[in-house]
Amino acid sequence: MVDEEISFPVINSELCKGCKRCIVGCPQNAILLSDEMNAAGYQYAYYSGNGCTGCKDCYFTCPEPLALEVHQYKKIVNNEIGRMIKAKVANKGGN
Ligand code: SF4
Ligand code: SF4
């Protein structure tokens, strides 16, 4: 049981080549280009911190392997089933 998903891109600044494909491709305008350069001399993309819906367009348009991932987490509802799940996770390894 989940009530919402939390999504955000994780960009490896040292693997990014600053091509801006993810920036142009993000429908939420949630990715920006840094003023600073990485060790290879490229300005790199970074997540603004707001607006990601988890659509993964940025992931599929990035040409650099491992430069960009989209992480998604599910928040557990605080109802009876949610509490059972949390209790089970808390007891994991305890017996
Ligand atoms: S997953 Fe979609 S909304 Fe989130 S940063 Fe990538 S393109 Fe933008
Ligand atoms: S698409 Fe990939 S390589 Fe291009 S700016 Fe975005 S993260 Fe960097």
Side-chain angles (χ1 to χ4, degrees), residues 29-73:
N29 296 318
I31 303 178
L32 305 172
L33 190 68
S34 170
D35 289 333
E36 297 176 4
M37 293 181 193
N38 60 21
Y42 296 105
Q43 287 176 269
Y44 51 87
Y46 68 97
Y47 180 40
S48 69
N50 287 298
C52 179
T53 60
C55 72
K56 303 181 188 71
D57 284 359
C58 56
Y59 172 78
F60 288 112
T61 198
C62 178
E64 296 299 324
L66 306 179
L68 192 158
E69 301 171 346
V70 176
H71 289 211
Q72 289 184 300
Y73 297 93

Side-chain angles (χ1 to χ4, degrees), residues 11 15-23 45 61-64 67-68:
I11 299 169
L15 296 179
C16 173
K17 297 265 181 14
C19 71
K20 304 181 191 168
R21 289 177 64 141
C22 60
I23 295 171
T61 198
C62 178
E64 296 299 324
L68 192 158

